Amino acid sequence: MLLQGDHWLITQVKFGSAADKIGLEQGFFIVFGEKPANRPDKEWVFIPVMMLLFIIIGLQRRRLAKNS
């Protein structure tokens, strides 16, 4: 690969390489790239949500017992 300005030019693709497997050919330009975000899994949000839900349930039960 060769850097030309703000994009990369593919100069050589070997048979069976990662570039060959995704369909890149010699002469193609790579204009932008993406990388995975460095953040926790979305499932981790359930822990604080469940804690908040149990706190609300506990407060509402205490309020109901106080009014009865």
Side-chain angles (χ1 to χ4, degrees):
M1 290 190 349
L2 180 67
L3 181 61
Q4 289 189 342
D6 60 350
H7 54 271
W8 291 88
L9 171 68
I10 298 180
T11 57
Q12 183 179 14
V13 177
K14 295 182 181 178
F15 179 74
S17 67
D20 184 41
K21 289 179 183 176
I22 64 171
L24 296 177
E25 297 178 8
Q26 183 175 345
F28 280 11
F29 288 102
I30 298 176
V31 180
F32 70 94
E34 295 181 5
K35 66 177 188 175
N38 187 15
R39 57 182 157 185
D41 293 330
K42 63 181 179 183
E43 288 81 10
W44 282 104
V45 77
F46 290 115
I47 294 172
V49 167
M50 293 302 285
M51 289 172 47
L52 181 62
L53 179 66
F54 289 134
I55 289 171
I56 291 173
I57 289 171
L59 290 172
Q60 290 297 322
R61 284 187 176 178
R62 192 168 15 154
R63 180 177 163 219
L64 183 64
K66 194 184 294 186
N67 289 338
S68 307

